[in-house]
Amino acid sequence: MTTSRISGFYNLTIDQRRVKLAESAHLAPDDLAAYSLNGGISAQDADHMVENVIGTHALPLGIGLNFQVNGRDVLVPMAIEEPSVVAGASFMAKLARSGGGFQATTDEPLMIGQMQVINVTNLELARLKLYEHKAELLAEADSVDPLLKKFGGGAPRSRSPGLRGLTHRWFFGPPFDL
């Protein structure tokens, strides 16, 4: 991307904005062709995507400008019907930009699964047994959905917080990418 600062963007026609957006984001004009359709997809296409389709719903799609995240300029698509939100977000991004923009960090992506053991009379003994059989429990958790493991997910670690007579075993693993 060249820049997310596009001066006078709001003064352009919709077609001119698409051209300017394609230039700024290094996109081919065909990449934005779907936005010239009413809603982007037909009801028949939508019916193959989700259940119980009765139609589609279109919202205005604006572009948040001036955003700089972790030193990179980004254009932020915003599907919203509320007036002034895109302009307000773009203005705030312009103010933040002068101070270096936005800094973002993330934790590693984890999914959490849980096993619950009930009617425990000796909480410490139950914790020890769970820890003793940790490898077997992780293998059992992985066997539930082999596809997760195939794509790099699964249950690589666990812990037991133990709460008032209940023992929970939490399994942590990365989601998978297709």
Side-chain angles (χ1 to χ4, degrees):
M1 161 159 310
T2 307
T3 182
S4 63
R5 285 277 303 127
I6 306 174
S7 184
F9 193 74
Y10 64 96
N11 288 323
L12 302 175
T13 67
I14 292 173
D15 287 335
Q16 290 170 329
R17 289 180 197 148
R18 288 185 188 135
V19 169
K20 195 64 139 170
L21 177 61
E23 290 170 2
S24 291
H26 303 292
L27 298 170
D30 287 349
D31 293 335
L32 299 175
Y35 299 117
S36 62
L37 301 174
N38 187 17
I41 62 172
S42 69
Q44 290 74 26
D45 286 340
D47 196 36
H48 294 288
M49 297 171 71
V50 300
E51 302 77 22
N52 305 329
V53 169
I54 59 167
T56 59
H57 177 77
L59 286 173
L61 181 64
I63 298 293
L65 304 173
N66 307 314
F67 282 83
Q68 194 172 59
V69 180
N70 295 343
R72 275 186 51 224
D73 275 71
V74 293
L75 297 166
V76 180
M78 304 174 89
I80 188 165
E81 79 288 350
E82 184 72 27
S84 302
V85 171
V86 177
S90 296
F91 179 68
M92 288 290 109
K94 184 177 181 181
L95 295 177
R97 182 186 194 86
S98 67
F102 298 98
Q103 297 300 312
T105 59
T106 62
D107 295 332
E108 64 178 315
L110 292 177
M111 298 185 332
I112 299 175
Q114 180 176 303
M115 177 186 71
Q116 181 176 341
V117 181
I118 57 175
N119 299 323
V120 174
T121 55
N122 184 332
L123 190 55
E124 283 308 309
L125 181 60
R127 271 196 202 162
L128 286 173
K129 289 289 185 188
L130 287 170
Y131 185 74
E132 186 179 308
H133 295 282
K134 180 179 178 177
E136 296 164 57
L137 292 169
L138 289 173
E140 180 68 25
D142 279 340
S143 73
V144 172
D145 190 347
L147 190 63
L148 282 176
K149 194 75 172 167
K150 178 180 175 185
F151 288 105
R157 66 182 191 269
S158 70
R159 70 181 170 109
S160 292
L163 303 168
R164 290 186 296 265
L166 299 177
T167 300
H168 299 277
R169 193 80 187 166
W170 292 347
F171 299 93
F172 301 90
F176 64 92
D177 293 322
L178 291 177

